[in-house]
Amino acid sequence: MQFLYVIKTALAALIAHRSRSFLTVLGIVIGITSIIMVMSIGSAAEAIIVGELGGLGAETVVVRPGKEPSGPTDFAESLFGDSLKDRELEALGRKQNIPNAIGVAPEILVPGGSISFEGETFRPVILGFSAEFMRDSLGLQLSDGIFFDETDIHNKARVAIIGGRVKDELFGTSDPIGKSITIKGNKFRVVGVFEKRGQVVFFDVDELVLVPYTAAQAFLTGNNYYNQIIVRADSPESVDRVVFDIQATLRALHNIDDPADDDFYVQTQQGLVEQVSTIIGIFTTFLTFVVAIALVVGGIGVMNIMLVSVTERTREIGLRKAVGATDSDIMSQFLVEAVFLTGFGGVIGIFLGTVLSFIVGFILSQFVGLAWQFVFPVSAALLGLLVSSGVGVVFGLYPARQASRKSPIEALRYE
Amino acid sequence: MALIEVKNISKEYPDGTRALHGVSFEVEKGEFVGIMGPSGSGKSTLLHVLGFLDAQSGGTYKFQRKTFDDYGPDGIARLRNEKMGFIFQMFNLLARASVLENVKLPLSYSTIPSSEWNDRAMKAIESVGLAHRVDHEPSELSGGEKQRVAIARALVNNPQVIFADEPTGNLDSKSGQSIMEILQHLNEEKGHTIFLITHETYTAEHAKRIIRVRDGEIAGDSLVSKRRWARDHFIK
């Protein structure tokens, strides 16, 4: 039988049972749609996170307390670890310890708490850090006022730089510079306002309140340790050297001989990017695997309907054999039908999945303010097409074989 | 040498039913043979064996001096496609296909290039007088017209033998006449060998020779002395 005719015949049979064909492939459609969405959203999320981490700067090295996280409890240990204090900061700041460092600053994340000004309140992200360091490493600019400096840090000055949204919420259109806001019961004087920039690395600059880390410790957290210490290398090339020096310095300070006993860990931008990519990759793979189960279920549905169709068309099969169809002609006719059915489901699924992931991306970028970049997952689309057709072959094989084995005499039997 | 040689053929079904027993005859090219018998006599089983649609349990059947095994499964399919045409009582047309598509069906399994399909199918359709119906679906045709489509389908590959299984069984007598007229014409003018299965003496008498089947055995094999001629003036 000529191939073009096989295709025409298969299409005609599917179109003749339009609604049944559509319902049959619904499982495949859902499966492929989900796979496309998982892969598209996964790669877009990865692109965002990696992009954010890029904002950290290749020269930035982060020192955190606790062990390097390899599970959820480790993260908690890292968040509440107290192995980084003044002593460590001072050691890391010494030029002879880390010759390639051009800046060291500790960071304190002040948990919870709202701020207020004349009755207006807001819940911002409160960070104790160095303003100049932040300017240099993240390239943040002010729309108004000035950065607080080393003197303010030294004096534990109660000054703050606030994000654009914080300013809008508390002050509206009036000038905030010089005004005092209340943070956890303490008055802080506003000295600057950040330019609106949205999400940068892990926080939203617009919702940030930045105070000197010394003031954060003295007035807001009441303890003497840091959440992390940021070290800036003089060039991206010297990052490895800096990491090595930091480890050597802190191990000497803490009398650690075996790196396995480290009570701190060092992260670089590249290391973070790799870590995040790995985690997202694992998630995406896992989800894809779960979603693939839908395809198996869909395939079984297709097989079911194909078997029904073979029985229904016994007379047609017999007739075709009587006029000269070979077993393999009949087999390929039903196999092509099954592959068309699932392949068609795959195409619909790719289309739906693409549209839905675009909508998800659109919503996230419009309403959540993420810099969402819609990614059409070419590899996922190809995979979807391949998998859906493959499902057709696998689950169409048995019904097609049943069809090809029918005896032509059955066509001669009366109904 | 005979076109068809049937030697001592028997057929038993798995359930033990004996449908044929010790059947032997030969048929030459160009004959018009009526196979006649009451229902359950084994005439349909005989047709299945002759058309290689079913294998006999015993004896030998040769078509053009070759047996089922000589041809092999794909060879049989090809034989049915090129050398045999089948006409069934229930017409067995594809319901959702046009007359043209139905008649083209055997061509789709042939080695004939698809560029010739339409011309060949149209010729076959014209020969049964349905040129004005090519685009209709079977549900829009009368019984007689359906059977003429089935004849056109059987003819389209210009087969040597046409097997007609109760072709008039579902038709009124006038439509039946036109079918018989076409079959006689195909035999007389085009030289097709024809097997006509029927339970009616009247219909069988349109053939040149009648083989009577009863209880799976041949009860008689003779030439028709007073042959009937279908004259519906369908063929001008």
Side-chain angles (χ1 to χ4, degrees), chain A residues 1-2 5 8 16-17 315-316 318-330 333 407-415, chain B residues 48 53-54 74 77-78 80-81 86 88-90 92-94 96 101 104-106 108-114 117 153 165-166:
Chain A
M1 200 178 189
Q2 287 157 26
Y5 190 81
K8 262 175 73 178
H17 299 282
R315 289 170 64 83
E316 178 196 324
L319 170 74
R320 286 180 184 273
K321 283 196 161 181
V323 300
T326 60
D327 286 4
S328 53
D329 284 333
I330 300 295
Q333 182 191 336
S407 152
I409 304 172
E410 293 184 54
L412 304 171
R413 296 231 169 96
Y414 302 148
E415 276 177 64
Chain B
H48 295 162
L53 296 170
D54 201 359
D74 285 2
R78 185 143 181 202
R80 286 200 289 255
N81 184 251
F86 293 92
F88 310 110
Q89 179 177 3
M90 299 299 293
N92 283 16
L93 302 177
L94 298 179
R96 285 195 180 77
E101 291 300 322
K104 269 157 72 173
L105 187 64
S108 70
Y109 295 106
S110 72
T111 50
I112 295 163
S114 54
W117 292 0
R153 181 179 64 196
D165 189 2
E166 303 268 14

Side-chain angles (χ1 to χ4, degrees), chain A residues 39-301:
Chain A
M39 291 182 83
S40 172
I41 291 174
S43 50
E46 186 177 339
I48 281 193
I49 297 175
V50 168
E52 300 267 319
L53 290 174
L56 202 60
E59 316 79 30
T60 307
V61 179
V62 180
V63 187
R64 292 214 168 103
K67 279 202 192 317
E68 181 141 28
S70 57
T73 52
D74 296 343
F75 277 110
E77 191 186 336
S78 163
L79 208 57
F80 301 115
D82 58 358
S83 61
L84 298 179
K85 295 177 186 165
D86 278 345
R87 198 161 69 104
E88 287 74 16
L89 180 64
E90 195 199 337
L92 293 177
R94 263 190 227 121
K95 199 71 189 168
Q96 64 266 35
N97 283 345
I98 306 164
N100 294 97
I102 53 168
V104 179
E107 194 178 298
I108 293 159
L109 184 67
V110 179
S114 59
I115 62 170
S116 61
F117 174 74
E118 290 180 357
E120 302 286 341
T121 61
F122 187 72
R123 285 183 76 89
V125 176
I126 305 169
L127 204 61
F129 197 46
S130 150
E132 287 168 328
F133 196 98
M134 197 162 211
R135 175 194 63 202
D136 296 343
S137 61
L138 297 180
L140 292 180
Q141 296 297 326
L142 300 184
S143 62
D144 204 1
I146 52 160
F147 287 99
F148 56 78
D149 57 14
E150 287 304 313
T151 317
D152 293 319
I153 292 174
H154 185 77
N155 293 338
K156 299 179 187 170
R158 280 182 284 175
V159 291
I161 301 174
I162 60 176
R165 198 158 160 239
V166 179
K167 183 235 160 201
D168 291 346
E169 295 287 334
L170 294 187
F171 297 96
T173 51
S174 66
D175 181 14
I177 304 296
K179 306 261 169 60
S180 282
I181 55 175
T182 307
I183 308 175
K184 289 193 154 190
N186 294 279
K187 296 275 185 196
F188 279 72
R189 186 166 48 87
V190 176
V191 294
V193 179
F194 283 116
E195 257 181 19
K196 285 200 177 169
R197 228 178 98 180
Q199 194 80 14
V200 173
V201 191
F202 292 120
F203 50 83
D204 187 344
V205 173
D206 301 345
E207 300 193 355
L208 187 67
V209 169
L210 183 68
V211 300
Y213 58 86
T214 47
Q217 277 189 330
F219 304 107
L220 301 178
T221 64
N223 57 40
N224 62 347
Y225 54 86
Y226 304 118
N227 292 110
Q228 53 189 25
I229 295 173
I230 316 284
V231 179
R232 246 156 77 83
D234 54 11
S235 73
E237 289 73 39
S238 57
V239 162
D240 287 346
R241 175 86 211 154
V242 168
V243 170
F244 182 83
D245 288 342
I246 291 172
Q247 287 169 337
T249 305
L250 290 182
R251 276 173 202 150
L253 196 65
H254 293 176
N255 297 319
I256 294 168
D257 298 324
D258 183 0
D261 295 333
D262 278 357
D263 54 2
F264 66 93
Y265 64 97
V266 183
Q267 281 186 322
T268 59
Q269 181 209 17
Q270 209 199 330
L272 275 175
V273 167
E274 281 165 11
Q275 232 177 354
V276 166
S277 297
T278 309
I279 292 170
I280 293 179
I282 290 170
F283 260 106
T284 307
T285 311
F286 175 71
L287 279 177
T288 307
F289 186 77
V290 169
V291 158
I293 294 172
L295 281 180
V296 175
V297 175
I300 293 171

Side-chain angles (χ1 to χ4, degrees), chain B residues 170-189:
Chain B
N170 268 7
L171 302 178
D172 60 77
S173 61
K174 187 166 158 54
S175 303
Q177 278 292 298
S178 68
I179 298 301
M180 292 317 298
E181 188 181 0
I182 294 171
L183 290 180
Q184 285 184 325
H185 173 78
L186 288 172
N187 176 248
E188 292 292 318
E189 308 296 326

Side-chain angles (χ1 to χ4, degrees), chain B residues 188-199:
Chain B
E188 292 292 318
E189 308 296 326
K190 313 277 180 186
H192 294 282
T193 308
I194 294 179
F195 283 87
L196 170 69
I197 304 245
T198 181
H199 63 280

